[in-house]
Amino acid sequence: MNKTKLSVKNLNLFYGDFQALKNIDLEVESNKITALIGPSGCGKSTFLKTLNRMNDLVENVKIEGKVSLDGEDIYNNIDVIKLRKRVGMVFQKPNPFPMSIYDNVAYGPRAHGIKRKAKLDEIVETSLKQAAIWDEVKDRLNQNALGLSGGQQQRLCIARALAVNPEVLLMDEPTSALDPIATQKIEELTEELKEKYTIVIVTHSMQQAGRISDNTAFFLLGEVIEFSETAKIFSNPEDKRTEDYITGRFG
């Protein structure tokens, strides 16, 4: 039995009067890739953001239930800055800071108090290597990150997330803005990263979920309809709605 990294119990989330998440129970296993699938607007990204309290930034949000990281309640017992260091996030559109490639990756470690250049150099190199982009950028670390291609920018954003040495990486449709070749690179990278990190990925692409994830949760209208090993969800789903979505009858 694999160790649970994130545990979600009876999670409800409201935006004002609208209930966006309904009674969600989910266990995210350590060093596995958990995919969240489902039609647009069904709560996948909202759920992802509850795992590192990004929803705290939204007005009129009310959250009930419990989200635990290694058994600690993240809404009551963990400082939010520390939480976001442990649970990093990569967004749908690459969003590098308008600064050099080097400074993008060094940004987090500096914010957490690392000042020594030799140490920062080491973190930048390691993070860029982990994000499979070091060879492409090592000769232009001082150039503006906005000059990179979309796929390179997204891998830089992954490097930036890894630079603070998180335990969990949340990815919100990280390849939806990328071409097929860049997408493949990110997918291969994600599979390598699970050796060291626990990954939760929201994806619109069923094929992507099938290719890279270990476990899959199917969301519909704010509920988790089914959660199981990816192979089982795709070959033998228990719920007719899961089957209908996966076979393309709606979505």
Side-chain angles (χ1 to χ4, degrees):
M1 180 59 199
N2 257 24
K3 185 170 169 292
T4 297
K5 187 70 182 170
L6 282 159
S7 172
V8 179
K9 294 265 191 296
N10 303 333
L11 179 71
N12 293 292
L13 182 142
F14 301 84
Y15 293 125
D17 297 333
F18 173 69
Q19 187 168 2
L21 296 175
K22 298 167 191 161
N23 207 19
I24 293 189
D25 289 307
L26 207 86
E27 306 273 309
V28 175
E29 292 181 318
S30 289
N31 300 101
K32 293 277 178 89
I33 298 173
T34 301
L36 312 178
I37 62 169
S40 287
C42 65
K44 307 182 296 290
S45 293
T46 299
F47 173 71
L48 193 72
K49 288 176 188 152
T50 60
L51 301 178
N52 73 344
R53 293 182 51 180
M54 291 292 275
N55 289 317
D56 289 16
L57 307 169
V58 183
E59 278 181 46
N60 291 334
V61 159
K62 186 171 92 179
I63 294 173
E64 303 167 348
K66 191 169 177 188
V67 181
S68 311
L69 174 64
D70 289 336
E72 282 185 279
D73 183 338
I74 70 167
Y75 281 88
N76 290 315
N77 299 341
I78 301 180
D79 170 71
V80 73
I81 307 285
K82 289 202 177 90
L83 173 68
R84 291 198 190 129
K85 182 178 187 295
R86 292 174 65 187
V87 183
M89 186 136 188
V90 176
F91 295 91
Q92 186 170 356
K93 291 204 168 59
N95 59 344
F97 302 136
M99 53 177 78
S100 74
I101 293 167
Y102 182 98
D103 286 339
N104 262 277
V105 184
Y107 186 89
R110 280 184 181 132
H112 289 288
I114 295 172
K115 300 282 184 274
R116 230 179 64 218
K117 183 158 186 327
K119 183 65 181 160
L120 287 170
D121 287 352
E122 181 192 331
I123 291 171
V124 168
E125 180 171 341
T126 304
S127 305
L128 290 167
K129 278 180 174 163
Q130 276 192 302
I133 189 176
W134 171 252
D135 290 336
E136 294 163 55
V137 301
K138 61 177 191 264
D139 300 324
R140 46 174 178 155
L141 294 176
N142 296 321
Q143 290 178 16
N144 193 313
L146 301 179
L148 296 170
S149 72
Q152 288 173 323
Q153 286 187 12
Q154 192 61 300
R155 278 179 288 145
L156 176 65
C157 291
I158 292 171
R160 186 175 71 195
L162 298 179
V164 295
N165 206 17
E167 299 159 39
V168 180
L169 198 54
L170 308 177
M171 306 176 97
D172 193 358
E173 294 193 43
T175 61
S176 65
L178 305 179
D179 63 64
I181 291 168
T183 294
Q184 188 184 353
K185 280 189 173 164
I186 301 274
E187 286 184 8
E188 287 168 358
L189 168 60
T190 305
E191 289 192 86
E192 285 167 25
L193 289 173
K194 77 172 180 185
E195 288 182 16
K196 194 168 174 209
Y197 306 95
T198 300
I199 296 171
V200 185
I201 182 168
V202 169
T203 176
H204 251 115
S205 160
M206 241 96 64
Q207 292 80 6
Q208 183 170 71
R211 281 192 299 264
I212 68 170
S213 70
D214 300 290
N215 299 313
T216 294
F218 170 55
F219 278 73
L220 189 63
L221 301 173
E223 295 181 67
V224 172
I225 303 298
E226 194 164 342
F227 177 55
S228 188
E229 289 176 6
T230 299
K232 182 181 180 309
I233 288 255
F234 280 89
S235 62
N236 189 22
E238 284 177 11
D239 193 293
K240 178 82 170 67
R241 291 166 294 180
T242 313
E243 186 183 343
D244 286 350
Y245 181 70
I246 283 168
T247 53
R249 288 197 192 100
F250 75 94

